[in-house]
Amino acid sequence: MKKNISLFLMLFFTVLTFAQKTVSGKITDDDGVAIPSASVTIEEPGKDAILAYAITNSKGEYKITFTSAESNVDLKVKAFNQKPLTKQINNSDQTLNFKMQSEATEIKEVQLKTKMITARGDTISYDLKAFNSKNDRTLADVMKKIPGIEVNKDGTILYQGNAINKFYVNGKDLMEGGYGTINNSLPKDAVQKVEVLENHQPVKILQDKVPSDQAAINIKLKNSVTMTGRGEVGTGFGDPWLWNVKLTPMFFGQKSQWVVNYKTNNMGEQVENEGNILAFGNGWEGRRINAGQNSWLNVENATTPDLPVKRYLMNNVHYLSANYLVNIDKKKEWELKASANYTNNVVNREGYTQKNYFATPTSGESTVIQNILNNFYTDKAKGELIFTKNAKKGFFKNTTSFSQFWNADRALADRNSTSANTSSRHGEEALESPTSSFQNSLSTIIPWKEKMVNVKSFINYQTDRQTLDVTPASYLEIPGFTPGANAEMVRQNFRLKTFEANHSANVGFSAKGWTFTPEIGFNYKTTALNSTLTNLQAGQYLEYGEKYNNDLSYSIATPYGSLGVNYKSESWMLFANLPVNSNNIKADDPTRNVSKSVNKITFEPNIFLQYSFASFWKASVNGNINNNFGDVNTAYAGFLMQSPNGINVMDPQNPIPQNNSKSTGTRLEYRNPLNNLFFNINYRFSDSKRNLISDPERNNEGFIIGHYREQDNHAISNVYSAEVGKYFPKFKTNASVSYSNNTSRSDAYLNKGAYASENNSQSFGFKLNNTYFSWMSLDYNGSISITKQTNTSFISELNGKSKRNGYNHNLAAFFYPLENHTIGFNWDQVNSSNVNQSYNNAFYDISYQFSWAKKKVDFEIKWMNIANRKVFETYDVNATATTYSRIQLRPSQVMFTVKFNFK
């Protein structure tokens, strides 16, 4: 493996250093006056291909770097009202100044034609009209078709395979990372262009001092003041009666912006995650998190299929949100942002699984069959207030947020096993899980002479209360646990209180492109875990005893000192963080003889280096070392029923986990807006060393008792990936292909038997968008996956190999037989197979839409799941079992919808 990495890095640096040449100079007119915005290109003689390009600045200066094996290249200069100039030059570093001759041009006809993709510096602009089709209505519809940009299933926008760090509209960050609402509801007609801001540093005082490897998206609207939005109202035929309502008015002005969003449906569309934070900015802005529950206790869940959510989600959701931004000073440096959202959702899910467990040293092969019916009830609210000053002479940001959850889950479970003398079991499971969460994040950067002082503070307090009931108690057949002969119900009570505080201060020194930032800080986290396992007998709850209780306090205190090193030039970018941490961890539960501590100093560097060359290329390497000392979830010593199918316990003599992870990676990226070509190649290697290893014990009925043993073990992974995307203007086609290969190896135990588990997964992807024909547009997205699982052990029962193949695609075709009439066809295909079995799942939708062009209103009727497929079948494999799953799907349904823009 080391040889492979060395060879890869050698080739990587060979690419960086091969024949790189730089030509610079100045362009003037006959009178010696500088010519700004002149284009300078380098081409190989006799070839219609641009190697590199540059645009002159306001002083007429240019600098262009290129790579070519030719001895001579052509340099071409073009400027408005100047005679084009071409000169063949040597392939060498040199300085060339040019005087251009004026050339008056008689313009017979003026035709405005916007280029599809243009680049200026670190900004790449996409003309939205070049990529949309007649059926597209929102920004999200078009965004998925832009070369170099991807949109994940969760709504995250990727540029060249990496998540963006900011999403702006007219230069303002209204949504603070939760941009799903705007992306899904902003009408495409309001957008002039989409801008990608490469290497974007969102904190203005740090620009040209602290570089960034992430990109941002800026949506530039046609008007500086825009009142717009999107709405839909639909009703449908099915059981039950169906509805779908979406109302999202929005306003974007020069001093203020706001978005109000209300969405409700029971036809399988997931809208409640639109408020999730998808872009987190950077650490200089403070800390941003998606507040969530610490879900320790769970009912048994029916599995979810690898399908578009609309195929299986039985929901009844109401989601309401509001976001507001206003400048509160005349210079427009200070901003106040306020947001709030509320979700009420009910989800029903039904599934069937058949698990064929492999043999272990203490149990033979067995089969467990389960039918599970779930009801999930979600009630949650969040409010947030943000004050920001982002100026060249200072930065301030304070974020205060509060979240409250009132969630509840239900399950009806039937379990059958092939083990002898075992009858069918039926259980009723109920979970109540309220959570309260409060966070406040403060970051400020103050100029001090030639230096910068940064102070940061983050506070988080969260309380989780969870109660899990299982009826009847006889449903439980967990190894080593006896529910009790007279027990009617078993109840697990659980409470977790978490307080976290992070405080730091640093001073930044800048000189000649370098910035050094020494920092001191203190991180502290304390958690109190309380749990009690009881049973109900004759109306009274009786405890099982001390060994089934927990009263644990767990704290982590980490004072640290670090040095940040940043460098940025025209070609190079470096940032590194070199922290030394003093880790102090303590766990106490006297009743269960838990008294553990660790005091250890660690060095955890994080380094990133990027080189830009030949105008279109970027190459980077990165590496980091990270130490993790576990959390409260590996320190408790009392039995804890986290799920009705298992109970967990930790040996009080086990030490505190000490996990050391090393990771390194490299990336080569090419993006050429002149020929609409984008691609990236990535490699990453990681090695995690741990001192504790999971050793679950499973009986023939699938019930599990989980615990850890002290033993050094490793988890190693190698990931290769590549993606190529190109837009073909002549055919109005955007196409991309991708490949990834992930090999992971880890040590594991099952029923006291040790084995090594190796997993190799490969995936091939292909995407195509075509709008060449005036009467049709086509979107296609397909992927093939191959997964191989190999277990190796000196115990023959744990040895084994298994393989799973998967194929899925989505085809969306729209036909335009007449003006304002659209016929749509959608085909989702999801297949899975192993050596002996194959499961093919096809879904078809058809729609008709009439557009009232004058009013910009669409009337659509859509028939979903035409074949009325009622269940989804799939096959999967992991280290312990093969699983056949059958999941209940949404039936065939017809919806009539009216769609409109607010303005």
Side-chain angles (χ1 to χ4, degrees), residues 617-630:
W617 294 86
K618 291 183 180 181
S620 62
V621 292
N622 64 84
N624 66 77
I625 299 175
N626 178 262
N627 289 276
N628 181 276
F629 296 92

Side-chain angles (χ1 to χ4, degrees), residues 324-501:
Y324 178 69
L325 176 154
V326 63
N327 288 112
I328 54 179
D329 68 323
K330 293 182 179 179
K331 293 183 179 180
K332 298 182 182 179
E333 293 180 344
W334 283 91
E335 289 180 343
L336 167 64
K337 301 175 189 178
S339 65
N341 62 65
Y342 172 72
T343 301
N344 177 275
N345 193 15
V346 179
V347 172
N348 302 320
R349 188 178 301 148
E350 184 175 357
Y352 166 93
T353 60
Q354 177 179 316
K355 284 192 174 183
N356 300 311
Y357 289 99
F358 306 136
T360 71
T362 59
S363 63
E365 293 183 356
S366 64
T367 299
V368 175
I369 297 173
Q370 271 194 294
N371 283 289
I372 299 177
L373 176 62
N374 287 121
N375 294 298
F376 303 107
Y377 302 92
T378 300
D379 268 297
K380 63 179 181 179
K382 179 182 178 181
E384 190 168 56
L385 194 64
I386 302 174
F387 284 96
T388 305
K389 177 186 178 180
N390 192 3
K392 283 289 185 180
K393 294 185 179 180
F395 176 80
F396 176 90
K397 186 170 187 176
N398 189 86
T399 303
T400 303
S401 62
F402 176 78
S403 301
Q404 179 67 50
F405 298 79
W406 304 271
N407 291 355
D409 300 336
R410 302 289 184 267
L412 298 177
D414 293 306
R415 180 188 293 259
N416 292 279
S417 173
T418 57
S419 59
N421 302 320
T422 300
S423 59
S424 175
R425 299 181 182 278
H426 175 77
E428 299 183 12
E429 306 162 13
L431 174 67
E432 305 291 333
S433 55
T435 294
S436 300
S437 175
F438 171 83
Q439 300 97 31
N440 191 85
S441 173
L442 168 67
S443 178
T444 182
I445 304 175
I446 304 170
W448 176 38
K449 298 181 179 178
E450 300 301 321
K451 307 176 185 66
M452 299 179 300
V453 179
N454 176 221
V455 178
K456 290 187 289 186
S457 173
F458 174 78
I459 295 174
N460 175 39
Y461 178 76
Q462 182 163 318
T463 300
D464 296 276
R465 294 183 177 88
Q466 297 169 24
T467 304
L468 175 62
D469 293 336
V470 182
T471 308
S474 59
Y475 176 78
L476 304 174
E477 282 291 333
I478 300 172
F481 173 66
T482 303
N486 298 318
E488 304 167 28
M489 179 182 72
V490 175
R491 168 171 288 183
Q492 178 68 70
N493 291 299
F494 176 86
R495 182 171 180 176
L496 194 72
K497 288 184 177 181
T498 305
F499 173 77
E500 183 177 5

Side-chain angles (χ1 to χ4, degrees), residues 35 71 120 125 216 228 233 256 306 358 399 455 458 580 601 620 669-670 727 734 843 850 867 877 879:
I35 300 177
S71 58
R120 182 178 292 273
S125 301
T228 185
V233 178
S256 66
D306 184 18
F358 306 136
T399 303
V455 178
F458 174 78
V580 176
I601 295 177
S620 62
E669 178 182 329
Y670 177 85
Y727 184 76
N734 181 36
F843 303 88
F850 171 72
V877 60

Side-chain angles (χ1 to χ4, degrees), residues 86-148:
T86 300
K87 182 176 182 179
Q88 191 167 94
I89 63 173
N90 294 329
N91 185 356
S92 61
D93 295 330
Q94 54 192 299
T95 299
L96 295 173
N97 299 323
F98 296 98
K99 280 191 175 184
M100 303 188 73
Q101 298 179 6
S102 299
E103 182 180 68
T105 304
E106 182 181 353
I107 302 176
K108 297 180 179 180
E109 181 180 354
V110 176
Q111 183 177 0
L112 297 177
K113 185 176 182 180
T114 305
K115 291 193 67 175
M116 296 171 295
I117 306 176
T118 57
R120 182 178 292 273
D122 283 339
T123 301
I124 296 178
S125 301
Y126 299 86
D127 179 18
L128 215 63
K129 291 181 180 179
F131 303 100
N132 68 5
S133 64
K134 292 181 180 180
N135 195 63
D136 293 336
R137 292 295 181 270
T138 66
L139 175 63
D141 293 336
V142 188
M143 190 76 78
K144 294 178 287 188
K145 302 174 183 179
I146 295 177

